[in-house]
Amino acid sequence: MQYQAPPWLPGGHAQTIWPVLFAKRYTGAAPQFRRVRWDTPDGDFIDVEFLIDPTEPATSTGAAPIQSTSTSTSTSASAAPTAERPMLVLFHGLEGGLDSQYVQAFAAVAAQRGWAFAMPYFRGCSGELNLAPRAYHSGDYEEIGWILTQLRAHHRGPIVAAGVSLGGNALLRWAQEAGDAARDTVRAVCSICSPLDLTAAGHAIGKGFNRLVYTRMFLRTMMPKALRKLQQHPGLFDGERLRRVRDLYEFDNLFTAPLHGFRDTDDYWLRASAKPHLARIRVPALVLNARNDPFVPAHSLPTKSHVGAFVTLWQPREGGHVGFPSGRPPGHVRTMPQRVSDWLAQAL
């Protein structure tokens, strides 16, 4: 991917923060979505946002009321799209969701191409606390596989999938574990600004400016949800210790790792990282990382020696973390989704 940041927005931090706050995400009317709820095999639920096609016939709603955003309406799983056009599935990043700038931008690009679009929420991210004594994590490949299987069952056309940050690492871990079978579900996958070496990224976000700004931002939503999970499942972890947590390493050590079968943070970050297993991927895969990403140190990025014939590496010098702003102030974030969609389209 050839990308050059605009001169008025230099540096990885600016290219990360400005697009979230100010950059334009789409042209014309805002994308509209309908929300579908699926029951999971473990007695929980997952919500999925489907882009509404204005040409689709209206569907009736049969699901129980679901808390949703202003651009989303609720419906039943049977109303999911079934057309033969391509579908783009986008897995969001840590604490992301429908309001994330990259979700809006990818949805708009999909609409322009005539593709169906689906964004599954990781558990607890749709505005309603999930039910099981668990949440989500960077290596949650079994969850990714279950979601893609459900989408494959509902959609007759070809499917491509992309994941942003945490979602991209989890998506690649699924492709690695699925091996040749991944091609039965998707034509191609892409990870975007994903921390494929979780140890390197985890330590980077816990230092200096990253700790003061990004760590605090994530913990501002993660901590209350974890404490609500403790109310839901008393004794699940030590609530007093959680209230003293000040970085993601401590949070993962107390909450994420033990709730999802890992010994501790070090074990979680090691076993969940996609970088050591990239050569196992057997479906076309694009791995996109800006080299000035504040979250993902350039020295930790994969090289050609880490990948096999199915993996393409894009590592532009600039872009920040899921930023890639373009144009004059206030700029827009459509360039990266357009380039990624161009690459995915080659597999359709």
Side-chain angles (χ1 to χ4, degrees):
M1 174 179 173
Q2 297 296 320
Y3 170 79
Q4 185 172 354
W8 56 271
L9 202 58
H13 291 300
Q15 292 161 20
T16 298
I17 296 171
W18 181 276
V20 173
L21 299 177
F22 304 114
K24 296 180 180 179
R25 305 168 178 198
Y26 46 80
T27 57
Q32 301 292 310
F33 302 85
R34 68 165 177 263
R35 183 174 295 190
V36 172
R37 176 160 293 183
W38 289 336
D39 295 329
T40 61
D42 61 349
D44 208 342
F45 65 87
I46 284 177
D47 291 331
V48 185
E49 299 282 3
F50 288 97
L51 180 67
I52 294 175
D53 180 354
T55 65
E56 264 186 280
T59 56
S60 60
T61 59
I66 300 174
Q67 185 176 345
S68 61
T69 66
S70 59
T71 57
S72 172
T73 57
S74 304
T75 187
S76 62
S78 61
T82 57
E84 295 184 5
R85 57 188 176 141
M87 170 181 281
L88 170 61
V89 183
L90 183 68
F91 293 96
H92 64 76
L94 183 65
E95 296 298 276
L98 191 61
D99 293 331
S100 299
Q101 87 279 4
Y102 53 83
V103 174
Q104 299 282 324
F106 265 105
V109 169
Q112 291 168 359
R113 292 171 177 265
W115 293 358
F117 176 87
M119 188 216 71
Y121 288 101
F122 289 116
R123 301 201 198 192
C125 290
S126 66
E128 182 176 340
L129 193 66
N130 65 300
L131 304 176
R134 57 155 296 170
Y136 66 103
H137 63 89
S138 296
D140 210 354
Y141 63 85
E142 292 179 338
E143 189 91 300
I144 295 284
W146 186 84
I147 292 170
L148 289 174
T149 297
Q150 302 308 301
L151 290 166
R152 176 72 282 164
H154 283 99
H155 187 78
R156 293 195 297 267
I159 295 175
V160 291
V164 173
S165 197
L166 175 149
N169 185 84
L171 176 63
L172 293 185
R173 287 292 292 116
W174 166 78
Q176 293 159 0
E177 295 297 324
D180 291 331
R183 286 175 284 182
D184 296 334
T185 306
V186 299
R187 298 283 184 88
V189 298
C190 173
S191 71
I192 300 160
C193 298
S194 297
L196 306 181
D197 180 340
L198 288 166
T199 300
H203 288 305
I205 203 171
K207 298 177 180 178
F209 183 86
N210 287 351
R211 181 185 179 100
L212 290 173
V213 177
Y214 306 121
T215 293
R216 287 184 178 180
M217 176 190 69
F218 288 129
L219 290 179
R220 191 176 301 126
T221 56
M222 294 166 66
M223 294 273 283
K225 286 198 292 189
L227 291 172
R228 287 166 55 205
K229 182 61 65 177
L230 183 61
Q231 291 178 338
Q232 190 183 51
H233 297 278
L236 193 60
F237 57 87
D238 188 333
E240 290 305 314
R241 286 183 58 194
L242 185 80
R243 290 181 177 90
R244 297 194 296 270
V245 162
R246 294 296 179 266
D247 61 34
L248 295 181
Y249 185 95
E250 295 173 349
F251 183 90
D252 285 346
N253 216 35
L254 184 62
F255 182 83
T256 311
L259 263 63
H260 301 100
F262 301 99
R263 183 184 66 252
D264 53 23
T265 297
D266 294 325
D267 181 48
Y268 163 40
W269 287 357
L270 179 65
R271 290 168 53 197
S273 293
K275 180 180 174 180
H277 312 287
L278 290 172
R280 294 168 54 192
I281 293 177
R282 293 294 181 268
V283 66
L286 174 63
V287 178
L288 168 60
N289 291 93
R291 298 191 68 83
N292 70 344
D293 187 329
F295 299 1
V296 184
H299 68 78
S300 73
L301 296 180
T303 65
K304 290 183 178 180
S305 65
H306 295 106
V307 306
F310 289 90
V311 178
T312 299
L313 300 177
W314 283 0
Q315 295 177 0
R317 185 170 59 89
E318 299 180 294
H321 188 74
V322 203
F324 301 99
S326 298
R328 298 178 179 178
H332 63 80
V333 293
R334 298 187 296 274
T335 298
M336 181 270 289
Q338 288 169 346
R339 303 274 179 85
V340 168
S341 297
D342 286 344
W343 189 90
L344 291 170
Q346 298 176 73
L348 296 175

